[in-house]
Amino acid sequence: MIEPGQLLWLGSIAIMLLVLVVLLEVHRINYRRENEEMFGSAEFDEKIQSFQFTPKETRTLEKLVRASHYENKDAVINSSSLFEAAVTNFYDFRNVFTVRDETLHAVEVLREKMNFTASNPLTIISSTRQWNIGNRIDFFLGGGKTMKHSEITRRDEKEWCISYDGSCGPHSQFLGKQIHVRWTRPDDAVYSAELQVRSYTNKELVLEHSSKLEKKQLRRWVREVVDFPVEASFSDGTVQKGLLYDLSAGGISIGLPVEVDGGTKISIRFTLPSFGEENVEIEILRCLGHKNPKYPDYFTLTASFVGTFGWTQERVLQYIFEANKKKKWGKMT
């Protein structure tokens, strides 16, 4: 009969053997990734020539590939999101603040040469490192109650800076705090993130980078131009009357006599023809100013539906379908 002490000893040996097998497998995988030829190597070599990368840039790109989990070597060249994921993984593993400056510079140049920055309208945005100096930024202070308009003044691989004039308190009070930052990419989406203030200057707040961005599409759905009266109710109890300019299952464009900051949530009420009254909550994305020449006294606001709007979404989709069908038949007759 096996004694308890022997069982414990045998169990310990089994665990150590299991750990050893895991470590050997990890070592084998890492060795293969660092030394063996990966899939897509020929395509990788061909593509880097077309970009005219320097030897340093090529070595840096290979480091990113080797540090990633991709099987294909050319994956980081084919997709901006895969490139940024590899960059983030590399920086997290190495600690971006200990990476040599020449390597950081090489990563930045790689991004620019492959046109993976926000300047390219076809690029998928997945990291604040893709945003550009001069981009307009909104950020929220005081628990999100106060919004400030700003712009990106500096940016490198370690951190980036936005302008701040001190009008909402001294720069020092935000040190180490989280602030909500939002950037609107025209004809694409609103990107936002909660970021820590790392340091500050007399005119700037210095922020950490993030690859965890919340994205709200601006034009996910087909939109139908309309001209419906709308009533908007604000959290302070005030009510404003205006017009619904266009409508989709994901959001709207609305005209109101007052300017409303992005991020504000309001309730709107309007009548959808053939379906009756709709009462839903929306979040303002952007204020475009007095954009509609038919209604010069109204501010044009883009917004997305939030909260519970499933039934409204279904009815809006059906309304748009019927409206487009009527237009189609009208052209045929």
Side-chain angles (χ1 to χ4, degrees):
M1 184 175 180
I2 300 177
E3 298 292 332
Q6 291 177 313
L7 284 174
L8 182 61
W9 180 73
L10 290 172
S12 299
I13 292 177
I15 292 173
M16 286 189 290
L17 287 173
L18 181 61
V19 171
L20 180 61
V21 169
V22 171
L23 291 175
L24 287 173
E25 180 64 15
V26 170
H27 175 73
R28 186 188 69 80
I29 293 173
N30 288 337
Y31 180 84
R32 178 179 64 83
R33 295 194 65 82
E34 293 294 333
N35 298 281
E36 294 182 8
E37 184 171 338
M38 299 176 62
F39 295 118
S41 293
E43 291 82 356
F44 177 87
D45 294 337
E46 182 180 342
K47 289 174 182 177
I48 62 174
Q49 291 180 9
S50 65
F51 284 111
Q52 298 183 335
F53 294 143
T54 65
K56 171 59 179 176
E57 292 160 6
T58 300
R59 291 195 301 272
T60 301
L61 191 60
E62 289 182 334
K63 285 181 181 179
L64 297 178
V65 175
R66 298 289 183 179
S68 73
H69 302 290
Y70 309 142
E71 291 295 331
N72 280 33
K73 192 175 182 180
D74 64 337
V76 294
I77 304 178
N78 298 333
S79 166
S80 61
S81 58
L82 294 182
F83 173 80
E84 291 302 333
V87 168
T88 299
N89 186 67
F90 177 71
Y91 287 157
D92 289 346
F93 180 74
R94 292 278 301 274
N95 185 352
V96 65
F97 294 98
T98 65
V99 177
R100 292 185 301 175
D101 289 342
E102 53 265 38
T103 299
L104 296 174
H105 177 69
V107 173
E108 188 171 2
V109 173
L110 285 168
R111 184 183 294 110
E112 292 173 355
K113 284 188 174 181
M114 292 189 290
N115 206 9
F116 284 167
T117 71
S119 299
N120 181 0
L122 301 179
T123 291
I124 298 173
I125 302 300
S126 55
S127 169
T128 53
R129 291 186 174 93
Q130 295 173 270
W131 299 0
N132 294 320
I133 295 173
N135 285 159
R136 295 181 179 180
I137 298 290
D138 294 331
F139 66 99
F140 297 82
L141 306 172
K145 297 179 181 178
T146 302
M147 185 185 75
K148 293 288 293 180
H149 298 298
S150 179
E151 70 175 40
I152 301 175
T153 55
R154 290 186 289 138
R155 188 215 66 221
D156 57 35
E157 294 298 294
K158 295 180 181 179
E159 54 196 15
W160 58 296
C161 306
I162 58 175
S163 59
Y164 173 58
D165 57 10
S167 59
C168 293
H171 296 66
S172 58
Q173 72 172 322
F174 304 113
L175 184 62
K177 302 289 182 60
Q178 296 277 336
I179 63 172
H180 185 79
V181 177
R182 189 182 66 205
W183 170 59
T184 300
R185 191 187 195 195
D187 300 319
D188 176 24
V190 177
Y191 297 87
S192 59
E194 298 288 333
L195 303 174
Q196 185 183 61
V197 178
R198 291 183 46 80
S199 59
Y200 58 89
T201 68
N202 289 334
K203 297 181 179 180
E204 300 168 324
L205 296 178
V206 183
L207 308 177
E208 64 180 352
H209 278 298
S210 176
S211 58
K212 298 178 181 178
L213 305 179
E214 181 183 354
K215 179 181 179 181
K216 291 184 178 180
Q217 296 284 153
L218 292 177
R219 293 283 175 178
R220 181 183 300 175
W221 306 92
V222 174
R223 296 194 172 220
E224 178 71 16
V225 176
V226 296
D227 195 2
F228 300 157
V230 67
E231 186 178 88
S233 300
F234 293 78
S235 59
D236 62 0
T238 59
V239 176
Q240 297 287 343
K241 293 186 177 181
L243 289 170
L244 199 60
Y245 292 153
D246 62 43
L247 181 67
S248 80
I252 62 170
S253 176
I254 189 174
L256 291 176
V258 294
E259 187 174 10
V260 185
D261 290 333
T264 303
K265 292 182 179 180
I266 61 177
S267 295
I268 61 168
R269 188 172 54 160
F270 62 94
T271 298
L272 189 64
S274 302
F275 294 94
E277 185 176 283
E278 305 293 336
N279 196 336
V280 291
E281 187 179 16
I282 62 172
E283 180 178 348
I284 303 300
L285 297 176
R286 288 191 297 170
C287 179
L288 304 178
H290 299 282
K291 186 178 180 180
N292 193 326
K294 287 179 60 179
Y295 306 100
D297 295 332
Y298 284 170
F299 291 92
T300 298
L301 309 164
T302 61
S304 62
F305 292 122
V306 295
T308 304
F309 63 96
W311 283 108
T312 296
Q313 185 181 59
E314 184 175 325
R315 287 190 286 265
V316 167
L317 281 170
Q318 192 169 346
Y319 169 77
I320 292 175
F321 174 77
E322 294 295 335
N324 281 305
K325 187 169 68 172
K326 289 180 181 179
K327 290 179 184 177
K328 182 179 177 180
W329 280 105
K331 292 180 179 178
M332 296 175 63
T333 57

